[in-house]
Amino acid sequence: MSDSTPDQSPVPPPAAAASGWTAPSARPFAPPAGYSMPPGYSAPPTQHLGTSVPAAPPAQKRGAALGVVALLLSLFAVVIVPLVLGVTAFEIGQGALTQNVLTTAQFSPEALTPVRGWVLFAEITFWTGTVCGIWALTQGIVAIVRRRGRGAGIAAVVLASAGPLIALVVGFSALAVGATMNMGG
């Protein structure tokens, strides 16, 4: 009996190499026989070797409010607070620092008595700037990590980090200018 159709038997897998490694087959990836998925889960899609994995769905666009709020807080802590601190430091320097106070070996807190209102206002301004700067720094880092206003978050971190130095330079410069104007020089 002569049959003209070729043999339809399955192709055996390649022989194992000397190292024990076998070539992967062209069969689809599938769970082992008899495996059932837990309730509420679906079986993974089968794919063949040499095909690409389906692309993940596009990520949802997240709002940038977290980074923008951090940027606004850092701008307040870096621009407004040093300006107010500069004005109060100038008034303290002009009202309290005289030639006699500056030339003595020890500074006494009683020298600040005539400007105690300005000193209190400077302290409140300092602590307000500190709280806003730390808040902006923390919220900026969170915005960067969560990718919610990343650019504004980076700007907020940079500004909030530079804030203490800016406030220090502005405050001491204004104090020195006020003291110089008080001494008539």
Side-chain angles (χ1 to χ4, degrees):
M1 189 156 86
S2 164
D3 199 6
S4 64
T5 60
D7 187 19
Q8 296 292 332
S9 63
V11 177
S19 65
W21 178 83
T22 58
S25 66
R27 294 185 329 226
F29 296 112
Y35 179 79
S36 64
M37 295 298 294
Y41 292 94
S42 62
T46 59
Q47 85 182 49
H48 298 282
L49 289 175
T51 62
S52 62
V53 177
Q60 293 179 355
K61 178 78 174 149
R62 294 183 173 193
L66 199 63
V68 171
V69 170
L71 180 61
L72 292 175
L73 281 168
S74 67
L75 284 172
F76 176 79
V78 172
V79 176
I80 304 299
V81 169
L83 286 175
V84 174
L85 195 59
V87 170
T88 56
F90 177 81
E91 292 296 330
I92 291 169
Q94 199 171 29
L97 300 180
T98 62
Q99 183 69 30
N100 188 24
V101 170
L102 292 174
T103 57
T104 59
Q106 291 184 351
F107 177 76
S108 174
E110 286 102 23
L112 297 175
T113 302
V115 289
R116 64 181 171 256
W118 286 108
V119 171
L120 178 62
F121 192 63
E123 187 174 354
I124 291 170
T125 303
F126 167 79
W127 286 112
T128 301
T130 300
V131 168
C132 287
I134 291 172
W135 183 359
L137 186 65
T138 306
Q139 190 164 339
I141 291 170
V142 170
I144 293 168
V145 170
R146 291 192 177 179
R147 297 176 187 249
R148 296 185 63 191
R150 195 172 203 188
I154 292 170
V157 167
V158 170
L159 284 175
S161 299
L165 181 63
I166 293 170
L168 187 72
V169 169
V170 169
F172 278 120
S173 299
L175 187 68
V177 169
T180 305
M181 291 185 74
N182 185 25
M183 291 188 286

